[in-house]
Amino acid sequence: MSIKKVTQHPSQNEALIFERSQTGRVGYKLPKLDVDETNIDSIIPAELRRTDDLDGVPEVSEVDVIRHFTRISTWNYSIDMGMYPLGSCTMKYNSRLNEKVARIGGFTNLHPLAPEEESQGALELIWELQNDLCEITGLAGISLQPAAGAQGEMTGVMLIRAFLDKRDGEASKDRRVMLIPDSAHGTNPASAALAGFTVKTIRSTEEGITDLEHLQQLCDQGGVAGLMLTNPNTVGIFEKNIKQICEIIHAAGGLVYMDGANMNALVGVARPGDMGVDVIHLNLHKTFSTPHGGGGPGCGPCLCTEELAKFLPVPHIVKDGDKFRLDYDAPDSIGRVKAFFGNFGMMIRALSYIYTHGAEGLKEATEAAVLNARYLSHQLESDFDKPYPADPMHEVVFSHKKQSKKGVHTLDIAKRLIDYGFHPMTIYFPLVVEGAMLIEPTESVGRADLDAFIEAMKDIDREAQENPQLVIDAPHSTRIGRLDEAAAARKPVLRWKPDMEASAKTA
Ligand SMILES: *Cc1c(COP(=O)(O)O)cnc(C)c1O
């Protein structure tokens, strides 16, 4: 790690609060006592009192503290500051209204153990959201319990396992192969393995989609329990043969699982259920308002066909007349996957998002997300290598091929973007593309922001061709340049100690 300089300037090179300390400086003075001093011994027992001085606490004034922390609060790049080009993440802007609705006292103060008759509003909200998500996906069964996309996947493959065990009895043990394309998100093979399946990898074609011939060959080898497919896939391309893919898997006696993390390219336009998909998970924290990666909880609903619905986690929410209740009577259920009902706050935001958009608005958001990605794709394809020529859906993948000839790699380009005021894109994913840069602008970026990003990328390409070292040494505008990320993760320095001052100055 190289600390470039430590100065008192109000820039990102600002010194730590400890380094700003000046002996004797105080933030607040108490008035002289006008009553007798209480004998502290009679209040706080001796063993609980500290004996040393408050060593190491920075000596600073009030205004030092206020300004220092206000300044550093502005250095964290956030979704409220600017565009997140991260791909495979969606990370859309979350409108304030949905946050406001999620904070309504009746929801936030409701105890998860409150009796059904006192939770009717919350149960109705879950019920309504379930119906809307079923309509959007074209599937009949749903559970909102899973707390993340990965957990939705695990729930989904457990449904497949339960279905096969019930259908095939003893013979089910001979059907343990889960087919997964080489471009898949890493959670797919992990979920399949957790549910007791072995994974076989399907090749992608030059075009970046599932190789049908290879798929058929793998099915002919037998034992296929199912397929896990992301659509649009992780290189942003729509699997145009999806109906045929589903037919091949069904003919082989397996089920089709769709990873719906990229549903923001389909909502309101096409429905997985109509394509022949049996099970899907959604990421409410990617597609329905809550931004992914925000550090908060997630919600990864699992949806399935009517046929599989009886295996869904309990409790099921049932509507009797105009009352809602929880039904635990589901003998074929795989059981619970999460305490209570999952992360309810995400559900409120999602329903608020769906209601405020309406059917037409949801379709418009999808179209804008795809249009934005295609615009970027066209604007940048002359400067950056684009491994798959097809028009992408919601995200586009480039590689560093044109820049690496000059010694500039994906990581350098990402770091240089920081100097231009942008959060970097997703890098080195998907693994099938060497030096991948996966860019997803989403629906919430306007033309001016897109153009600013495109200009930054074109400038960085020009720098890579003319002055590669400038890009290789980036970022130049931050307090810390390139971190040794492995060391930072393995040996994090979480406390400042006085002798660090000396070592920082010599570094
Ligand atoms: C994000 C993502 C997942 C996993 O979702 P989490 O909520 O992060 O567990 C799975 N598949 C794809 C394609 C994704 O983009």
Side-chain angles (χ1 to χ4, degrees), residues 107-181:
F107 292 132
T108 53
N109 297 330
L110 186 63
H111 195 282
L113 289 175
E116 282 168 17
E117 58 271 23
E118 286 172 25
S119 318
Q120 287 295 306
L123 294 177
E124 182 172 1
L125 185 143
I126 296 177
W127 171 265
E128 288 294 333
L129 179 61
Q130 288 188 349
N131 290 343
D132 287 351
L133 296 177
C134 285
E135 171 69 28
I136 286 167
T137 54
L139 288 162
I142 181 168
S143 169
L144 288 166
Q145 252 180 49
Q151 203 189 11
E153 283 175 37
M154 193 191 71
T155 307
V157 284
M158 284 170 74
L159 295 186
I160 293 180
R161 173 78 189 259
F163 171 83
L164 294 175
D165 286 351
K166 181 108 183 166
R167 185 190 71 184
D168 299 350
E170 261 299 291
S172 167
K173 72 177 190 324
D174 300 325
R175 213 178 250 291
R176 286 285 181 268
V177 175
M178 192 59 77
L179 303 177
I180 301 181

Coordinates of all heavy atoms in Angstrom, one line a residue, residues 107-181:
F107 N -46.0 -0.9 9.7 CA -45.1 -2.0 9.3 C -43.9 -2.2 10.2 O -43.6 -3.3 10.6 CB -44.7 -1.8 7.8 CG -45.8 -1.8 6.8 CD1 -45.9 -0.8 5.9 CD2 -46.6 -2.9 6.8 CE1 -46.9 -0.9 4.9 CE2 -47.7 -3.0 5.8 CZ -47.8 -1.9 4.9
T108 N -43.2 -1.1 10.4 CA -42.0 -1.2 11.2 C -42.2 -1.7 12.6 O -41.3 -2.3 13.2 CB -41.1 0.1 11.2 OG1 -42.0 1.1 11.7 CG2 -40.6 0.4 9.8
N109 N -43.3 -1.4 13.2 CA -43.5 -1.7 14.6 C -44.2 -3.1 14.8 O -44.5 -3.5 15.9 CB -44.4 -0.6 15.3 CG -43.7 0.7 15.3 OD1 -42.4 0.7 15.4 ND2 -44.4 1.8 15.3
L110 N -44.5 -3.7 13.7 CA -45.3 -5.0 13.8 C -44.3 -6.1 14.2 O -43.3 -6.3 13.6 CB -45.9 -5.3 12.4 CG -46.8 -6.5 12.4 CD1 -48.0 -6.3 13.3 CD2 -47.2 -6.8 10.9
H111 N -44.7 -6.8 15.3 CA -43.8 -7.9 15.7 C -44.1 -9.2 14.9 O -45.3 -9.5 14.6 CB -44.1 -8.2 17.2 CG -43.1 -9.0 17.9 ND1 -43.0 -10.4 17.7 CD2 -42.0 -8.7 18.6 CE1 -42.0 -10.9 18.4 NE2 -41.4 -9.8 18.9
P112 N -43.0 -9.9 14.5 CA -43.3 -11.1 13.7 C -44.1 -12.1 14.4 O -44.7 -13.0 13.7 CB -41.9 -11.6 13.4 CG -41.0 -10.9 14.3 CD -41.6 -9.6 14.7
L113 N -44.2 -12.1 15.7 CA -45.0 -13.1 16.4 C -46.4 -12.6 16.7 O -47.2 -13.2 17.4 CB -44.3 -13.5 17.7 CG -43.1 -14.4 17.5 CD1 -42.4 -14.6 18.9 CD2 -43.4 -15.7 16.9
A114 N -46.8 -11.4 16.2 CA -48.1 -10.9 16.5 C -49.1 -11.9 15.9 O -48.9 -12.5 14.8 CB -48.3 -9.5 15.8
P115 N -50.3 -12.0 16.5 CA -51.3 -13.0 16.0 C -51.8 -12.6 14.7 O -51.8 -11.4 14.3 CB -52.4 -12.9 17.1 CG -52.1 -11.8 17.9 CD -50.7 -11.4 17.8
E116 N -52.3 -13.6 13.9 CA -52.8 -13.3 12.6 C -53.8 -12.2 12.5 O -53.7 -11.4 11.6 CB -53.4 -14.6 12.0 CG -52.4 -15.6 11.6 CD -53.1 -17.0 11.3 OE1 -54.3 -17.1 11.2 OE2 -52.3 -18.0 11.3
E117 N -54.7 -12.2 13.5 CA -55.8 -11.1 13.3 C -55.2 -9.7 13.5 O -55.8 -8.8 13.0 CB -56.9 -11.4 14.3 CG -56.6 -11.5 15.8 CD -56.2 -12.9 16.2 OE1 -55.7 -13.8 15.4 OE2 -56.3 -13.2 17.4
E118 N -54.0 -9.6 14.1 CA -53.4 -8.3 14.2 C -52.4 -8.0 13.1 O -51.8 -6.9 13.1 CB -52.8 -8.1 15.6 CG -53.8 -8.0 16.7 CD -53.2 -8.0 18.1 OE1 -52.0 -7.7 18.2 OE2 -53.9 -8.4 19.0
S119 N -52.2 -8.9 12.2 CA -51.2 -8.8 11.1 C -51.9 -8.8 9.8 O -51.2 -9.0 8.8 CB -50.2 -9.9 11.2 OG -49.8 -10.2 12.5
Q120 N -53.1 -8.5 9.7 CA -53.9 -8.7 8.4 C -53.3 -7.8 7.3 O -53.2 -8.2 6.2 CB -55.4 -8.4 8.6 CG -56.1 -9.4 9.4 CD -56.2 -10.8 8.6 OE1 -56.6 -10.8 7.5 NE2 -55.7 -11.8 9.3
G121 N -52.9 -6.6 7.7 CA -52.3 -5.7 6.7 C -51.1 -6.2 6.1 O -50.9 -6.2 4.8
A122 N -50.2 -6.7 6.9 CA -48.9 -7.2 6.5 C -49.1 -8.5 5.6 O -48.5 -8.7 4.6 CB -48.0 -7.5 7.6
L123 N -50.0 -9.3 6.1 CA -50.3 -10.6 5.3 C -50.9 -10.2 4.0 O -50.6 -10.9 3.0 CB -51.2 -11.5 6.1 CG -50.6 -12.1 7.4 CD1 -51.7 -12.9 8.2 CD2 -49.4 -12.9 7.1
E124 N -51.8 -9.2 4.0 CA -52.4 -8.8 2.7 C -51.3 -8.3 1.7 O -51.3 -8.6 0.5 CB -53.5 -7.7 2.9 CG -54.1 -7.3 1.6 CD -55.3 -6.4 1.8 OE1 -55.6 -6.1 3.0 OE2 -55.9 -6.0 0.8
L125 N -50.3 -7.5 2.3 CA -49.3 -7.0 1.5 C -48.5 -8.1 0.8 O -48.2 -8.1 -0.4 CB -48.3 -6.1 2.3 CG -47.2 -5.4 1.5 CD1 -47.0 -4.0 2.1 CD2 -45.9 -6.1 1.5
I126 N -48.1 -9.1 1.6 CA -47.4 -10.3 1.1 C -48.2 -11.0 0.0 O -47.7 -11.3 -1.0 CB -47.0 -11.3 2.3 CG1 -46.1 -10.6 3.3 CG2 -46.4 -12.5 1.7 CD1 -45.7 -11.5 4.5
W127 N -49.5 -11.2 0.3 CA -50.4 -11.8 -0.6 C -50.4 -11.1 -2.0 O -50.3 -11.7 -3.0 CB -51.8 -11.9 0.0 CG -52.9 -12.3 -0.8 CD1 -53.8 -11.5 -1.6 CD2 -53.3 -13.7 -1.1 NE1 -54.6 -12.3 -2.3 CE2 -54.4 -13.6 -2.0 CE3 -52.8 -14.9 -0.7 CZ2 -55.0 -14.7 -2.5 CZ3 -53.5 -16.0 -1.2 CH2 -54.5 -16.0 -2.1
E128 N -50.6 -9.7 -1.9 CA -50.7 -8.9 -3.1 C -49.4 -9.0 -3.9 O -49.4 -9.2 -5.1 CB -50.9 -7.5 -2.7 CG -52.3 -7.1 -2.2 CD -53.4 -7.4 -3.3 OE1 -53.1 -7.2 -4.5 OE2 -54.5 -7.7 -3.0
L129 N -48.3 -8.9 -3.2 CA -47.0 -9.0 -3.9 C -46.8 -10.3 -4.5 O -46.3 -10.4 -5.7 CB -45.8 -8.7 -2.9 CG -44.4 -8.8 -3.5 CD1 -44.2 -7.7 -4.6 CD2 -43.3 -8.6 -2.4
Q130 N -47.1 -11.4 -3.8 CA -47.1 -12.7 -4.4 C -47.8 -12.8 -5.7 O -47.3 -13.3 -6.7 CB -47.6 -13.8 -3.4 CG -46.7 -14.0 -2.2 CD -47.2 -15.2 -1.4 OE1 -48.3 -15.7 -1.6 NE2 -46.4 -15.7 -0.4
N131 N -49.1 -12.3 -5.7 CA -49.9 -12.3 -6.9 C -49.3 -11.6 -8.0 O -49.2 -12.0 -9.2 CB -51.3 -11.8 -6.6 CG -52.1 -12.7 -5.7 OD1 -51.7 -13.9 -5.6 ND2 -53.1 -12.2 -5.1
D132 N -48.7 -10.4 -7.7 CA -48.1 -9.6 -8.8 C -46.9 -10.3 -9.4 O -46.7 -10.3 -10.6 CB -47.7 -8.2 -8.2 CG -48.9 -7.3 -8.0 OD1 -50.0 -7.7 -8.4 OD2 -48.8 -6.2 -7.4
L133 N -46.0 -10.9 -8.5 CA -44.8 -11.5 -9.0 C -45.2 -12.8 -9.8 O -44.5 -13.1 -10.8 CB -43.9 -11.9 -7.8 CG -43.3 -10.7 -7.1 CD1 -42.4 -11.1 -5.9 CD2 -42.5 -9.7 -8.0
C134 N -46.3 -13.5 -9.4 CA -46.7 -14.6 -10.2 C -47.2 -14.1 -11.6 O -46.8 -14.8 -12.6 CB -47.9 -15.3 -9.5 SG -47.3 -16.3 -8.1
E135 N -47.9 -13.0 -11.6 CA -48.4 -12.5 -12.9 C -47.2 -12.1 -13.8 O -47.1 -12.4 -15.0 CB -49.2 -11.3 -12.6 CG -49.7 -10.4 -13.8 CD -50.6 -11.1 -14.7 OE1 -51.4 -12.0 -14.2 OE2 -50.6 -10.8 -15.9
I136 N -46.2 -11.4 -13.1 CA -45.0 -11.0 -13.9 C -44.2 -12.1 -14.5 O -43.6 -12.0 -15.6 CB -44.1 -10.0 -13.0 CG1 -44.8 -8.7 -12.8 CG2 -42.7 -9.8 -13.5 CD1 -44.2 -7.8 -11.7
T137 N -44.1 -13.2 -13.7 CA -43.2 -14.3 -14.2 C -44.0 -15.4 -15.0 O -43.4 -16.3 -15.6 CB -42.6 -15.1 -13.0 OG1 -43.6 -15.4 -12.1 CG2 -41.6 -14.2 -12.3
G138 N -45.4 -15.4 -14.8 CA -46.2 -16.4 -15.5 C -46.1 -17.7 -14.8 O -46.3 -18.8 -15.4
L139 N -45.9 -17.7 -13.5 CA -45.8 -18.9 -12.7 C -46.8 -18.9 -11.6 O -47.2 -17.8 -11.1 CB -44.4 -19.1 -12.1 CG -43.3 -19.5 -13.2 CD1 -41.9 -19.3 -12.7 CD2 -43.5 -21.0 -13.6
A140 N -47.2 -20.1 -11.1 CA -48.4 -20.1 -10.1 C -48.0 -20.1 -8.7 O -48.7 -19.6 -7.8 CB -49.2 -21.3 -10.5
G141 N -46.9 -20.7 -8.3 CA -46.5 -20.9 -6.9 C -45.4 -20.0 -6.5 O -44.6 -19.6 -7.3
I142 N -45.4 -19.5 -5.2 CA -44.4 -18.6 -4.8 C -44.1 -18.7 -3.3 O -45.0 -18.9 -2.5 CB -44.7 -17.1 -5.2 CG1 -43.6 -16.2 -4.7 CG2 -46.1 -16.7 -4.6 CD1 -43.8 -14.8 -5.3
S143 N -42.9 -18.5 -2.9 CA -42.5 -18.2 -1.5 C -41.6 -17.0 -1.4 O -40.6 -16.9 -2.2 CB -41.8 -19.4 -0.9 OG -41.3 -19.1 0.4
L144 N -41.9 -16.1 -0.5 CA -41.1 -14.9 -0.4 C -40.1 -15.1 0.7 O -39.4 -14.1 1.1 CB -42.0 -13.7 -0.1 CG -42.8 -13.1 -1.2 CD1 -43.9 -12.2 -0.7 CD2 -41.9 -12.4 -2.3
Q145 N -40.0 -16.3 1.3 CA -39.1 -16.5 2.4 C -37.6 -16.3 2.1 O -36.9 -15.7 3.0 CB -39.3 -17.9 3.0 CG -40.0 -18.0 4.3 CD -40.1 -19.4 4.8 OE1 -39.2 -20.2 4.8 NE2 -41.4 -19.7 5.1
P146 N -37.0 -16.8 1.0 CA -35.6 -16.8 0.9 C -35.0 -15.3 1.0 O -35.6 -14.4 0.5 CB -35.3 -17.3 -0.5 CG -36.5 -18.2 -0.8 CD -37.7 -17.5 -0.1
A147 N -33.9 -15.2 1.7 CA -33.3 -13.9 2.1 C -32.3 -13.4 1.1 O -31.7 -12.3 1.3 CB -32.7 -14.0 3.4
A148 N -32.1 -14.1 0.0 CA -31.1 -13.7 -1.0 C -31.3 -14.5 -2.3 O -32.0 -15.5 -2.3 CB -29.7 -13.9 -0.5
G149 N -30.7 -14.0 -3.4 CA -30.8 -14.8 -4.6 C -30.3 -16.2 -4.4 O -30.9 -17.2 -4.8
A150 N -29.1 -16.3 -3.8 CA -28.5 -17.6 -3.6 C -29.4 -18.5 -2.8 O -29.6 -19.7 -3.1 CB -27.2 -17.5 -2.9
Q151 N -30.1 -18.0 -1.8 CA -31.0 -18.8 -1.0 C -32.3 -19.2 -1.8 O -32.8 -20.3 -1.7 CB -31.4 -18.1 0.3 CG -31.8 -19.2 1.3 CD -32.4 -18.6 2.6 OE1 -32.7 -17.4 2.7 NE2 -32.6 -19.4 3.6
G152 N -32.7 -18.3 -2.7 CA -33.8 -18.6 -3.6 C -33.5 -19.7 -4.5 O -34.3 -20.6 -4.8
E153 N -32.2 -19.7 -5.0 CA -31.7 -20.8 -5.9 C -31.8 -22.1 -5.1 O -32.2 -23.1 -5.6 CB -30.3 -20.5 -6.2 CG -30.1 -19.5 -7.3 CD -28.6 -19.3 -7.5 OE1 -27.8 -20.2 -7.4 OE2 -28.2 -18.1 -7.7
M154 N -31.2 -22.1 -3.9 CA -31.2 -23.3 -3.1 C -32.6 -23.8 -2.9 O -32.8 -25.0 -3.0 CB -30.5 -23.1 -1.8 CG -30.1 -24.4 -1.1 SD -29.6 -24.1 0.6 CE -31.1 -23.6 1.4
T155 N -33.5 -22.9 -2.5 CA -34.9 -23.3 -2.3 C -35.4 -24.0 -3.6 O -36.1 -25.0 -3.6 CB -35.8 -22.1 -2.0 OG1 -35.1 -21.5 -0.8 CG2 -37.2 -22.5 -1.6
G156 N -35.1 -23.3 -4.8 CA -35.6 -23.8 -6.0 C -35.1 -25.2 -6.4 O -35.9 -26.1 -6.8
V157 N -33.8 -25.4 -6.2 CA -33.3 -26.8 -6.6 C -33.7 -27.8 -5.5 O -33.9 -29.0 -5.9 CB -31.7 -26.8 -6.7 CG1 -31.3 -26.2 -8.1 CG2 -31.0 -26.1 -5.6
M158 N -34.0 -27.4 -4.3 CA -34.6 -28.3 -3.3 C -36.0 -28.7 -3.8 O -36.4 -29.9 -3.6 CB -34.6 -27.7 -1.9 CG -33.3 -27.7 -1.3 SD -33.2 -26.7 0.3 CE -34.1 -27.8 1.4
L159 N -36.8 -27.8 -4.4 CA -38.1 -28.1 -4.9 C -38.0 -29.2 -6.0 O -38.7 -30.1 -6.1 CB -38.8 -26.9 -5.5 CG -39.2 -25.7 -4.7 CD1 -40.0 -24.7 -5.5 CD2 -40.0 -26.1 -3.5
I160 N -37.0 -29.0 -6.9 CA -36.7 -29.9 -8.0 C -36.4 -31.3 -7.4 O -37.0 -32.3 -7.8 CB -35.6 -29.4 -8.9 CG1 -36.1 -28.1 -9.6 CG2 -35.2 -30.5 -9.9 CD1 -35.1 -27.5 -10.6
R161 N -35.5 -31.3 -6.4 CA -35.2 -32.6 -5.8 C -36.4 -33.2 -5.1 O -36.6 -34.4 -5.3 CB -34.1 -32.2 -4.7 CG -33.7 -33.4 -3.8 CD -32.7 -34.3 -4.5 NE -32.5 -35.5 -3.7 CZ -31.5 -35.7 -2.9 NH1 -30.5 -34.8 -2.9 NH2 -31.4 -36.7 -2.1
A162 N -37.2 -32.5 -4.4 CA -38.4 -33.0 -3.8 C -39.4 -33.6 -4.8 O -39.9 -34.7 -4.6 CB -39.1 -32.0 -2.9
F163 N -39.5 -32.8 -5.9 CA -40.4 -33.3 -7.0 C -39.9 -34.6 -7.6 O -40.7 -35.5 -7.8 CB -40.5 -32.2 -8.1 CG -41.2 -32.6 -9.3 CD1 -42.6 -32.6 -9.4 CD2 -40.5 -33.1 -10.4 CE1 -43.3 -33.0 -10.5 CE2 -41.2 -33.5 -11.6 CZ -42.6 -33.5 -11.6
L164 N -38.6 -34.7 -7.9 CA -38.1 -35.9 -8.5 C -38.2 -37.1 -7.6 O -38.5 -38.2 -8.0 CB -36.6 -35.7 -8.9 CG -36.4 -34.7 -10.1 CD1 -34.9 -34.5 -10.3 CD2 -37.1 -35.1 -11.3
D165 N -37.9 -36.8 -6.3 CA -38.0 -37.9 -5.3 C -39.4 -38.5 -5.2 O -39.6 -39.7 -5.1 CB -37.6 -37.4 -3.9 CG -36.0 -37.2 -3.8 OD1 -35.3 -37.7 -4.8 OD2 -35.6 -36.7 -2.8
K166 N -40.4 -37.5 -5.3 CA -41.8 -38.0 -5.2 C -42.2 -38.7 -6.5 O -42.9 -39.7 -6.4 CB -42.7 -36.7 -5.0 CG -44.1 -36.9 -4.8 CD -44.6 -36.7 -3.4 CE -46.0 -37.0 -3.2 NZ -46.4 -37.1 -1.8
R167 N -41.8 -38.1 -7.6 CA -42.2 -38.7 -8.9 C -41.5 -40.1 -9.1 O -42.2 -41.0 -9.5 CB -41.8 -37.8 -10.0 CG -42.3 -38.2 -11.4 CD -41.7 -37.4 -12.5 NE -40.3 -37.7 -12.7 CZ -39.6 -37.0 -13.6 NH1 -40.1 -36.1 -14.4 NH2 -38.3 -37.3 -13.8
D168 N -40.2 -40.2 -8.9 CA -39.5 -41.3 -9.3 C -39.2 -42.3 -8.1 O -38.7 -43.4 -8.4 CB -38.1 -40.9 -9.9 CG -38.3 -40.0 -11.1 OD1 -39.4 -39.9 -11.6 OD2 -37.3 -39.5 -11.6
G169 N -39.5 -41.9 -6.9 CA -39.2 -42.8 -5.8 C -37.7 -43.2 -5.7 O -36.9 -42.3 -5.9
E170 N -37.5 -44.5 -5.5 CA -36.1 -45.0 -5.4 C -35.2 -44.6 -6.6 O -34.0 -44.2 -6.5 CB -36.1 -46.5 -5.3 CG -36.0 -47.1 -3.9 CD -34.7 -46.7 -3.3 OE1 -33.7 -47.2 -3.7 OE2 -34.7 -45.9 -2.3
A171 N -35.8 -44.6 -7.8 CA -35.1 -44.3 -9.0 C -34.6 -42.9 -9.1 O -33.7 -42.6 -9.9 CB -36.0 -44.6 -10.2
S172 N -35.1 -42.0 -8.2 CA -34.6 -40.6 -8.3 C -33.1 -40.5 -8.0 O -32.5 -39.6 -8.5 CB -35.4 -39.9 -7.2 OG -34.9 -38.6 -7.0
K173 N -32.6 -41.5 -7.3 CA -31.1 -41.4 -7.0 C -30.3 -41.5 -8.2 O -29.1 -41.1 -8.2 CB -30.7 -42.4 -5.9 CG -30.7 -43.8 -6.4 CD -30.2 -44.7 -5.2 CE -29.9 -46.1 -5.7 NZ -30.8 -46.7 -6.7
D174 N -30.8 -42.0 -9.3 CA -30.1 -42.1 -10.6 C -30.2 -40.8 -11.4 O -29.7 -40.7 -12.5 CB -30.6 -43.3 -11.4 CG -30.4 -44.6 -10.7 OD1 -29.4 -44.7 -9.9 OD2 -31.3 -45.5 -10.8
R175 N -30.9 -39.8 -10.9 CA -31.1 -38.6 -11.6 C -30.5 -37.4 -10.7 O -31.2 -36.8 -10.0 CB -32.6 -38.4 -11.7 CG -33.0 -37.7 -13.0 CD -34.5 -37.7 -13.0 NE -35.1 -38.5 -14.0 CZ -35.0 -38.4 -15.4 NH1 -34.3 -37.3 -15.8 NH2 -35.5 -39.2 -16.2
R176 N -29.3 -37.3 -10.8 CA -28.6 -36.3 -9.9 C -27.7 -35.3 -10.7 O -26.9 -34.6 -10.0 CB -27.8 -37.1 -8.9 CG -28.5 -37.8 -7.8 CD -29.1 -36.8 -6.8 NE -29.9 -37.5 -5.8 CZ -31.2 -37.7 -5.8 NH1 -31.9 -37.3 -6.8 NH2 -31.8 -38.3 -4.8
V177 N -27.9 -35.2 -12.0 CA -27.0 -34.3 -12.7 C -27.7 -33.0 -13.0 O -28.9 -33.0 -13.5 CB -26.6 -34.9 -14.1 CG1 -25.8 -33.9 -14.9 CG2 -25.8 -36.2 -13.9
M178 N -27.1 -31.9 -12.6 CA -27.6 -30.6 -12.9 C -26.7 -29.9 -14.0 O -25.5 -29.8 -13.8 CB -27.6 -29.7 -11.6 CG -28.4 -28.4 -11.7 SD -30.2 -28.6 -12.1 CE -30.8 -29.2 -10.5
L179 N -27.4 -29.5 -15.1 CA -26.6 -28.9 -16.2 C -26.6 -27.4 -16.0 O -27.6 -26.8 -15.7 CB -27.3 -29.2 -17.5 CG -27.4 -30.7 -17.8 CD1 -28.1 -30.9 -19.1 CD2 -26.1 -31.4 -17.8
I180 N -25.4 -26.8 -16.1 CA -25.2 -25.4 -15.9 C -24.2 -24.9 -16.9 O -23.1 -25.4 -17.1 CB -24.7 -25.1 -14.4 CG1 -25.6 -25.7 -13.4 CG2 -24.4 -23.6 -14.2 CD1 -25.2 -25.4 -12.0
P181 N -24.6 -23.8 -17.6 CA -23.7 -23.2 -18.6 C -22.4 -22.6 -18.0 O -22.4 -22.3 -16.9 CB -24.5 -22.1 -19.3 CG -25.9 -22.3 -18.8 CD -25.9 -23.0 -17.6

